[in-house]
Amino acid sequence: MNVASSEAPAFKAGPHDPRLAHWLKDYPPAVFSERLYQSIELMERYSVELAIDLLSRLGVIDHLGEWRSADDLGHMLSFQPRFRFALSWILERLVETDCIEARTNRDTRSYHLRHAPWQPDLERLRAIGLNIDPANAATLDLLDHAASLYPAVARGEQSGDQSLFGPRGTPLWLNYFNNNNLTYAVNNWVSAILAADRMSTGSRLRILEVGAGAGSASEILLRCFDQRGLVPRLERYMITEPNAFFRRRSQRELARQYPELALEWGALDLNLPWDIQGVAPGEFDLVYAVNVLHVSKDLLFSLNQARFALAGDGWLVIGECLRPYVNQPIYPELMFQILESFTDVQTDPEIRPNPGFLTADQWRRAFTRAGFDHAEVVPDIDGIREIYPHFFAGAICGENTATYK
């Protein structure tokens, strides 16, 4: 197909809207900083340019002279059926550039090339990103690594899970899930502050953390609790992570930082009944999870398991990457959507119509359907998205008002 290329728009992230300060006043200024805003804008643009590069490397662009759905393209190019979700994301990113137009006929979304996209300049954008914050290297490296695997995963030559968490990928994840990486750590801060707010009263504090990874969320939670004077009330903190390598790393680091605390570690599979894994009903005052529950195979099942683990008036607090609008593609998905654990989930038209990240409203509905009271999402994503649609960090909470015997 011989279609003239468009010219790449210059990357320029102007200062963030000062109205954001109203919604973010309860958080440390160093977290929601101009540096974070600039970094997010850079990552969004970087993922668009990776999508342009992938469109060519996957051979998709030559088949867009006619209207095609992601399923049509997958069949024509002999892609694995599960790759359709990732392919749709790539196409939607290009819709944002006006290089591709889309139309929806009943339940089918089709795409057509308007004009060839510009030549991506990833090296230039990487340099800009590192100038904004050298710690952005962690996110950029993981985006690059994930994108490099797309063609082989599409053709069924590699598994996304095995490749992304293999010997090359594991160090990249450790750098990414790190509190020095502000584009990730922002979720840890939002979640920890909400948990500290909800646990501000009471005589004792028993915590179950689910999917703790290498412990970056645990670290910020303990830091916030220490600052609020909540640590003396901490009777029990059970930190669970099914990945043995991440769990050992978490145990080593947190035991070194908090030698006086009686921390416990275990392996909890959120997709299996929690009581047969050593979690008794009503055993905890706080169930805590950051960037975990969106990969639950059956979301309502896992939310109900969390509620059963809570004592009366206990709280579930989770941190999640939030999708501001339904079906809006966002840059973190590029790293996750070739993982079977990310896409192989039960969908629900009301709370999870597609795999991946949920909107704030979908999370509120999910918590309510699972029997939680006072479901809330912070900060006010619904207000923020009206002035800044690239705000992806949020925390969700709900209270268990039932008592189990």
Side-chain angles (χ1 to χ4, degrees):
M1 182 185 304
N2 186 15
V3 183
S5 298
S6 58
E7 183 177 348
F11 172 76
K12 182 174 176 58
H16 68 272
D17 194 308
R19 290 176 292 175
L20 286 173
H22 167 71
W23 284 293
L24 305 177
K25 61 181 182 300
D26 296 328
Y27 303 99
V31 175
F32 289 108
S33 61
E34 183 67 22
R35 178 165 53 99
L36 174 63
Y37 168 76
Q38 297 273 343
S39 297
I40 291 172
E41 291 301 292
L42 184 281
M43 298 305 170
E44 278 287 281
R45 174 60 181 275
Y46 196 80
S47 75
V48 169
E49 304 241 345
L50 281 173
I52 292 173
D53 184 54
L54 284 169
L55 200 71
S56 176
R57 289 200 289 129
L58 291 166
V60 173
I61 197 166
D62 293 332
H63 297 279
L64 288 173
E66 299 180 17
W67 287 96
R68 313 275 191 193
S69 69
D71 283 337
D72 293 336
L73 293 164
H75 288 310
M76 295 175 71
L77 295 163
S78 300
F79 290 160
Q80 294 294 302
R82 68 171 59 252
F83 190 71
R84 182 195 63 80
F85 183 69
L87 181 56
S88 297
W89 181 90
I90 294 169
L91 293 164
E92 289 294 335
R93 288 262 79 163
L94 270 292
V95 169
E96 297 177 53
T97 70
D98 291 327
C99 299
I100 289 177
E101 55 186 330
R103 68 184 184 190
T104 302
N105 183 14
R106 295 182 180 176
D107 295 330
T108 302
R109 182 85 161 161
S110 298
Y111 304 89
H112 178 265
L113 188 69
R114 297 183 62 212
H115 52 77
W118 62 83
Q119 286 297 115
D121 192 349
L122 295 168
E123 289 188 10
R124 179 183 63 86
L125 284 174
R126 169 179 278 270
I128 294 173
L130 296 179
N131 186 59
I132 293 169
D133 184 353
N136 281 333
T139 303
L140 293 167
D141 289 345
L142 192 52
L143 286 168
D144 285 342
H145 179 55
S148 74
L149 301 172
Y150 270 52
V153 171
R155 295 189 293 265
E157 299 167 358
Q158 293 183 28
S159 157
D161 289 72
Q162 292 176 347
S163 300
L164 272 175
F165 286 99
R168 184 182 169 199
T170 297
L172 299 179
W173 285 110
L174 289 174
N175 290 336
Y176 177 74
F177 293 134
N178 190 295
N179 288 318
N180 292 325
N181 177 19
L182 192 54
T183 57
Y184 177 79
V186 61
N187 276 64
N188 290 339
W189 281 102
V190 170
S191 312
I193 290 170
L194 177 59
D197 288 343
R198 294 296 175 267
M199 295 291 106
S200 59
T201 60
S203 59
R204 64 179 180 176
L205 183 53
R206 300 162 299 169
I207 304 173
L208 169 66
E209 183 174 356
V210 180
S216 65
S218 318
E219 177 188 346
I220 298 299
L221 182 68
L222 285 169
R223 191 185 306 181
C224 284
F225 277 26
D226 193 28
Q227 292 170 351
R228 301 281 189 95
L230 300 177
V231 170
R233 288 172 41 206
L234 187 58
E235 291 186 3
R236 187 181 183 197
Y237 190 171
M238 181 69 173
I239 302 171
T240 68
E241 167 53 47
N243 183 297
F245 177 80
F246 288 156
R247 187 171 66 249
R248 288 193 298 269
R249 185 182 179 92
S250 165
Q251 183 171 359
R252 182 172 64 250
E253 291 299 316
L254 291 172
R256 178 182 59 81
Q257 293 181 49
Y258 297 94
E260 75 284 2
L261 294 182
L263 303 176
E264 306 170 40
W265 279 268
L268 179 72
D269 186 336
L270 77 166
N271 295 312
L272 297 176
W274 293 14
D275 59 348
I276 66 172
Q277 301 179 76
V279 177
E283 191 172 5
F284 295 95
D285 306 295
L286 171 66
V287 174
Y288 189 67
V290 178
N291 287 328
V292 176
L293 283 176
H294 65 268
V295 296
S296 171
K297 188 174 292 289
D298 182 340
L299 183 55
L300 289 177
F301 169 83
S302 297
L303 288 172
N304 273 295
Q305 294 299 300
R307 185 167 62 83
F308 294 149
L310 288 168
D313 300 325
W315 288 84
L316 171 63
V317 176
I318 68 172
E320 283 287 340
C321 181
L322 297 178
R323 193 187 306 278
Y325 293 97
V326 175
N327 297 327
Q328 176 184 346
I330 60 179
Y331 82 84
E333 291 173 299
L334 190 147
M335 297 178 282
F336 297 104
Q337 61 196 354
I338 57 172
L339 297 172
E340 292 183 16
S341 56
F342 190 75
T343 58
D344 188 17
V345 298
Q346 295 181 23
T347 56
D348 181 292
E350 183 182 39
I351 62 173
R352 183 159 63 177
N354 299 300
F357 299 118
L358 282 66
T359 66
D361 194 43
Q362 288 165 350
W363 275 118
R364 281 190 290 264
R365 289 198 295 265
F367 269 54
T368 300
R369 278 179 54 181
F372 286 98
D373 292 312
H374 310 120
E376 184 181 1
V377 179
V378 297
D380 183 358
I381 301 298
D382 297 328
I384 290 173
R385 68 182 182 179
E386 297 299 322
I387 61 173
Y388 182 47
H390 294 160
F391 192 97
F392 308 135
I396 308 97
C397 68
E399 186 179 16
N400 171 47
T401 55
T403 302
Y404 305 106
K405 297 181 180 180

